[in-house]
Amino acid sequence: MADRPAHRAAERRAPASPRRADYAGAVYGSLLAASVVAGAGTLGSFPRLKLVLLLLCTGVVFWAAHVYARLVGDRLVHESLSRQEIRRVCVDEWPIVQAAVPPAAAVAVSPLLGLGPYGAAWLGLAVAAAEQVGWASVAVVQAGAPRRLVLLAGAVNLLLGLTIVALKAALH
């Protein structure tokens, strides 16, 4: 078996092949968004605009942290990083930010649905949890997994989402 750093360097030099989408960032970002809504809900009635900004800013901060961690990790393995590599890592991690948008949008439009701040937070949490289950299921389908694994992935992510919902309810 090839040395791990040498193997990674060889992968980077190999000609570009079509890449499959990596949904880990979207699943992670959805879980993060649900956690942000649940955490904000423990503070009482949270103004919609603040919750929207908190969701989006948290997504950006965690995206930057993931990009930095991956680049530092690569830097330790490789001598130098190219702009192309930095851009690739930024793009690869962008789904973390994208996952914050649907719950933030749900909170932003909640007045149109007649929801107060409390209802807006629950709507944002429901959207984040549904998004998490959806992205996890899509990832497993894209990997070509059998139907039972798709259902298992959906169930596990639903359980994670429901755990966050239960914690929000218990802490509120």
Side-chain angles (χ1 to χ4, degrees):
M1 185 168 161
D3 177 49
R4 191 71 166 151
H7 177 69
R8 285 187 186 160
E11 284 178 350
R12 296 204 194 291
R13 288 189 301 268
S17 60
R19 292 175 43 195
R20 283 193 137 175
D22 180 1
Y23 296 101
V27 173
Y28 175 80
S30 301
L31 185 59
L32 176 65
S35 299
V36 166
V37 174
T42 64
L43 301 174
S45 182
F46 213 78
R48 279 183 197 85
L49 180 59
K50 284 187 179 180
L51 184 53
V52 168
L53 291 173
L54 183 61
L55 280 162
L56 296 175
C57 290
T58 301
V60 170
V61 167
F62 273 76
W63 166 77
H66 276 248
V67 168
Y68 176 76
R70 283 192 50 202
L71 291 174
V72 167
D74 282 347
R75 182 110 176 133
L76 294 174
V77 173
H78 307 292
E79 287 301 312
S80 63
L81 288 172
S82 66
R83 284 184 217 205
Q84 181 181 0
E85 177 69 5
I86 293 168
R87 184 180 185 290
R88 185 189 64 76
V89 171
C90 288
V91 169
D92 284 352
E93 296 295 335
W94 192 245
I96 294 171
V97 176
Q98 290 173 312
V101 173
V107 170
V109 302
S110 64
L112 301 174
L113 303 172
L115 298 174
Y118 183 73
W122 279 107
L123 178 62
L125 182 57
V127 168
E131 181 181 41
Q132 177 188 343
V133 171
W135 283 123
S137 299
V138 167
V140 177
V141 167
Q142 289 290 321
R147 182 173 289 141
R148 73 182 189 298
L149 287 181
V150 174
L151 293 173
L152 180 62
V156 166
N157 278 277
L158 180 59
L159 182 61
L160 285 171
L162 291 175
T163 300
I164 293 171
V165 169
L167 289 172
K168 179 185 178 353
L171 293 173
H172 189 72

